[in-house]
Amino acid sequence: MIAVVRDEATGHFRIVSTRAETLGIARTRAAADDLADLLLEAWEEAVAAAVARARMKHGAAIIEPR
């Protein structure tokens, strides 16, 4: 879902989506890895919150995600 790739032209590390969209840029691999992990965590939290809100409104009509 998210990958860290080294930009050969600049030496920086890009955090990219599966659609090759740049989500962030870091100067070090460690910083890029941390940012990628935090972005994934934020995504999971946002999805969980959206599902909870939809379930409050629609109940059992929401099947996935669980």
Side-chain angles (χ1 to χ4, degrees), residues 9-26:
T10 64
H12 296 152
F13 295 88
R14 292 184 178 274
I15 298 87
V16 296
S17 70
T18 53
R19 293 189 293 182
E21 298 168 305
T22 298
L23 304 174
I25 301 172

Side-chain angles (χ1 to χ4, degrees), residues 9-56:
T10 64
H12 296 152
F13 295 88
R14 292 184 178 274
I15 298 87
V16 296
S17 70
T18 53
R19 293 189 293 182
E21 298 168 305
T22 298
L23 304 174
I25 301 172
R27 294 183 190 280
T28 67
R29 179 65 186 226
D33 288 340
D34 283 346
L35 180 54
D37 289 344
L38 291 168
L39 286 169
L40 281 172
E41 184 179 313
W43 172 257
E44 290 167 358
E45 290 170 1
V47 168
V51 170
R53 289 174 60 192
R55 284 216 173 100
M56 286 185 349

